[in-house]
Amino acid sequence: MAVLRILHYPDKRLHRVAKLVRHIDRRIRKLVADMAETMYLASGVGLAATQVNIHERVIVVDVSNTHNALRVFINPDIIWLSKARTVNEEGCLSLPGIYEGVERANQICVQALNEHGEKFKLECEGFLAICIQHEIDHLFGKVFIEHLSLLKQMQLKTKMKKSD
């Protein structure tokens, strides 16, 4: 396994749309393992391949306190969102130290493949649902602050450029 370099906002590569994974092979399983190691080392709860400059539809998530409940989503697709929404504070490994309130669906149903190529559906709510929505946004080139007002986005972009 290897620790991967996480891209930091406003890096333009974070806005690339990821491509579907056509074959789940040794390379994809290694990517999943490397992404998990990178996420855990960075004390994150989710990581999208886009964030490590690999533009394929792969995310890893572990919202457990013990970091032993890794979930892998390859080619994830949200097939249902609840109408009920809440604002929760989010952070991102690509925007270290930035936390802002983002409105998202309370519950979702996501369909994906696991690292063995098996198709599954997962209905979830709360923090797990928020994390999955956040990471899937990355696959479509969207960073969480893009859910905020344009003024707030500009302020955060300026702050991130100054910290580089």
Side-chain angles (χ1 to χ4, degrees):
M1 291 192 294
V3 176
L4 305 170
R5 184 178 161 270
I6 298 172
L7 300 177
H8 288 150
Y9 183 84
D11 192 309
K12 291 182 186 333
R13 294 171 290 181
L14 289 168
H15 297 293
R16 287 186 54 192
V17 176
K19 296 180 179 172
L20 287 171
V21 173
R22 297 286 177 207
H23 303 286
I24 298 174
D25 53 16
R26 181 178 298 150
R27 181 185 67 81
I28 293 295
R29 286 188 288 280
K30 180 177 182 338
L31 172 62
V32 165
D34 291 348
M35 287 174 60
E37 182 176 3
T38 302
M39 176 187 72
Y40 289 132
L41 191 65
S43 300
V45 294
L47 187 66
T50 301
Q51 292 177 271
V52 293
N53 201 28
I54 297 170
H55 303 282
E56 295 182 82
R57 293 191 59 184
V58 178
I59 64 173
V60 294
V61 174
D62 186 347
V63 298
S64 72
N65 292 330
T66 52
H67 304 295
N68 64 352
L70 183 69
R71 295 176 185 263
V72 176
F73 300 82
I74 299 171
N75 298 335
D77 187 26
I78 295 176
I79 56 177
W80 176 81
L81 295 160
S82 68
K83 290 181 182 172
R85 301 175 70 78
T86 1
V87 174
N88 293 285
E89 189 172 78
E90 292 187 24
C92 182
L93 295 175
S94 291
L95 290 104
I98 305 292
Y99 299 91
E100 292 291 333
V102 176
E103 182 179 288
R104 296 200 188 265
N106 292 348
Q107 298 174 301
I108 64 168
C109 180
V110 63
Q111 171 177 284
L113 300 172
N114 66 18
E115 66 272 29
H116 307 292
E118 301 160 338
K119 189 175 187 177
F120 68 94
K121 281 185 185 177
L122 174 69
E123 289 186 30
C124 58
E125 61 186 2
F127 190 46
L128 179 57
I130 291 164
C131 189
I132 292 169
Q133 291 171 80
H134 176 111
E135 298 308 331
I136 289 176
D137 272 357
H138 278 297
L139 299 179
F140 290 96
K142 190 170 189 175
V143 181
F144 87 97
I145 65 168
E146 292 171 31
H147 289 279
L148 307 175
S149 72
L150 288 176
L151 176 63
K152 190 66 173 175
Q153 288 180 48
M154 293 302 290
Q155 290 171 337
L156 292 172
K157 192 173 193 174
T158 300
K159 181 177 180 179
M160 291 299 293
K161 282 183 178 178
K162 284 181 182 176
S163 68
D164 280 348

